[in-house]
Amino acid sequence: MKTIDELLAEGVKGKRVFVRADLNVPLDGARITDDGRIRAVQPTIAKLAAAGARVIVASHLGRPKGTGVEPAFSLAPAATRLGELLGADVAFATDTVGASAKETVAALADGQVAVIENLRFNAGETSKDDAERGAFADQLAQLADVYVGDGFGAVHRKHASVFDLPARLPHAAGYLIATEVGVLKKLTAVVERPYVVVLGGAKVSDKLAVIDELLGKADRILIGGGMAYTFLYAKNYEVGISLLQKDQVDVVKEYMARAEKLGVELVLPVDVLVSADFPDLKGKTPATFETVDADKIPADKEGLDIGPKTRELYASKIADAKTVFWNGPVGVFEHPDYAGGTTAIAQALLDSSAFTVVGGGDSAAAVRILGFDENAFGHISTGGGASLEYLEGKTLPGLAALEG
């Protein structure tokens, strides 16, 4: 895989460099609530601009229908924030490959940066039809001379700007992708032990493949979040109205049996915070809840966070680790009354001397929203789904394209 430093050594002054970034940031209207992904790609963009490249930044945001511009999914706020971080004006094209994009790119001088509109406004970006996807990649290729892949959060997608475009232009990997891949190799190749994995999030089905893969690699797997209730149900516990995927119970039972056979500690909550009502996440009015043992959840209540005994247990399981990978909050952290479990996991990672990796998505957002210093962790990934698929041993289309 060619590095950006090799590309810079060859010279990029005056060249149009297409940077596939991941600017898929959470928005509250036009306000960005977490700019972590923009800050993560800034070093690549800044270095290219400083070397005299004419930088064209492209990304997706959300899941628009692919039938044209949808204002709610516009990249305009991301372009504004990128300009603030770079300390320079960033031009913005109001389409992807149309007149605005062509005019905006043509007007760039050496060292200037432009952002084109959300790639997913064009159906060709995400099409499963190779020809349609390729046709869009052909149009994108006309905008640039060189391609730099630095949108790690999208490398597990076989999309036009991720998979097809690198085949049409000289290409290299940006700093973010190089860092992400280097970190993930530490979780899959030579791993320092004990190796502890903390998995949360809503659905157990989202994590089945990674659990299957990690059962042969991790020393301990700690389960939290909504997915924990399928495990508790598999132990014949009452889980009330908690999140439950009954169709996954047999798979979970098999994993539990395999973990025991392999000597892998599969640790489940011993107590949980429960309520009859899901919390108000907008006004964040105080919640009404109680703490119960994990095998005593009332039939009319829902588990919304791990309890204090579980927080202590999980912290003790992390304390002596040499490597920790955490993906997924262990409670409804967006509400202060149910943020205690996720806060405890983050603090346990900071208190350990392990190499700690926060695996993107909601867990990365939680670290920042809950006020932790993200630089205190070993690495915070920008790609939750991409990180998981890498750990599952899958070939990621975006990485394969950069290696080609």
Side-chain angles (χ1 to χ4, degrees):
M1 188 184 295
K2 188 174 186 177
T3 69
I4 189 171
D5 286 331
E6 290 173 316
L7 178 67
L8 289 164
E10 294 171 359
V12 294
K13 183 176 175 62
K15 292 184 178 179
R16 301 170 300 164
V17 181
F18 187 105
V19 178
R20 200 336 179 157
D22 179 8
L23 308 180
N24 185 28
V25 291
L27 295 172
D28 182 2
R31 184 178 68 87
I32 296 170
T33 58
D34 180 5
D35 67 355
R37 284 176 168 162
I38 304 175
R39 286 186 286 111
V41 76
Q42 179 197 352
T44 291
I45 296 169
K47 197 69 174 283
L48 287 166
R54 303 178 182 194
V55 186
I56 305 139
V57 183
S59 176
H60 69 288
L61 192 152
R63 296 179 182 274
K65 298 181 179 67
T67 54
V69 173
E70 296 180 47
F73 297 107
S74 175
L75 279 173
T80 299
R81 180 59 181 146
L82 177 60
E84 293 170 352
L85 292 169
L86 291 171
D89 290 336
V90 169
F92 182 67
T94 56
D95 57 27
T96 56
V97 291
S100 179
K102 291 173 183 175
E103 290 167 8
T104 301
V105 171
L108 288 175
D110 293 358
Q112 291 186 331
V113 179
V115 174
I116 63 174
E117 189 53 285
N118 191 338
L119 292 165
R120 290 186 182 176
F121 288 166
N122 190 306
E125 169 68 1
T126 59
S127 177
K128 289 182 170 57
D129 181 85
D130 291 348
E132 184 180 10
R133 214 176 51 247
F136 183 49
D138 287 338
Q139 291 178 290
L140 291 172
Q142 292 174 16
L143 297 174
D145 305 305
V146 181
Y147 177 94
V148 172
D150 214 27
F152 181 75
V155 293
H156 58 314
R157 306 294 188 192
K158 192 176 181 181
H159 290 170
S161 66
V162 176
F163 178 73
D164 302 272
L165 186 54
R168 289 158 168 78
L169 294 170
H171 51 268
Y175 292 121
L176 175 60
I177 279 186
T179 298
E180 294 273 12
V181 171
V183 166
L184 289 169
K185 284 181 178 176
K186 290 185 179 181
L187 301 179
T188 54
V190 182
V191 183
E192 286 197 69
R193 299 183 179 279
Y195 178 20
V196 178
V197 175
V198 184
L199 295 177
K203 295 181 179 179
V204 69
S205 57
D206 292 342
K207 307 287 168 65
L208 285 178
V210 76
I211 294 172
D212 184 51
E213 185 71 18
L214 289 171
L215 277 174
K217 295 177 179 176
D219 298 298
R220 301 174 195 138
I221 301 176
L222 318 182
I223 304 292
M227 62 183 287
Y229 301 101
T230 301
F231 280 86
L232 295 174
Y233 188 87
K235 294 185 66 165
N236 297 316
Y237 290 178
E238 169 65 60
V239 297
I241 57 172
S242 305
L243 282 173
L244 172 63
Q245 290 186 280
K246 285 189 176 180
D247 60 329
Q248 304 297 338
V249 170
D250 287 342
V251 179
V252 165
K253 285 182 177 179
E254 192 274 324
Y255 285 176
M256 291 165 72
R258 182 146 49 103
E260 185 173 4
K261 183 178 180 180
L262 292 170
V264 176
E265 286 188 73
L266 189 60
V267 189
L268 303 178
V270 294
D271 63 341
V272 294
L273 272 57
V274 298
S275 176
D277 302 302
F278 195 81
D280 168 24
L281 299 182
K282 283 288 187 183
K284 293 182 172 50
T285 53
T288 301
F289 64 88
E290 63 178 314
T291 303
V292 299
D293 289 343
D295 60 350
K296 294 183 172 60
I297 298 175
D300 62 344
K301 293 190 176 180
E302 176 180 10
L304 296 166
D305 194 11
I306 58 173
K309 289 188 289 188
T310 304
R311 295 169 198 174
E312 290 184 14
L313 172 64
Y314 285 11
S316 72
K317 297 295 183 181
I318 292 168
D320 68 340
K322 294 298 183 186
T323 305
V324 183
F325 173 70
W326 171 32
N327 183 279
V330 295
V332 186
F333 74 92
E334 298 91 342
H335 192 284
D337 290 333
Y338 300 114
T342 300
T343 299
I345 296 296
Q347 189 61 53
L349 265 66
L350 292 183
D351 291 342
S352 79
S353 60
F355 174 62
T356 55
V357 179
V358 181
D362 289 339
S363 41
V367 163
R368 290 187 277 264
I369 290 170
L370 296 174
F372 287 94
D373 177 7
E374 57 190 292
N375 295 316
F377 297 87
H379 179 69
I380 296 183
S381 179
T382 57
S387 296
L388 289 176
E389 290 198 16
Y390 190 101
L391 293 181
E392 290 165 19
K394 292 183 177 179
T395 297
L396 306 188
L399 296 185
L402 291 174
E403 289 166 354

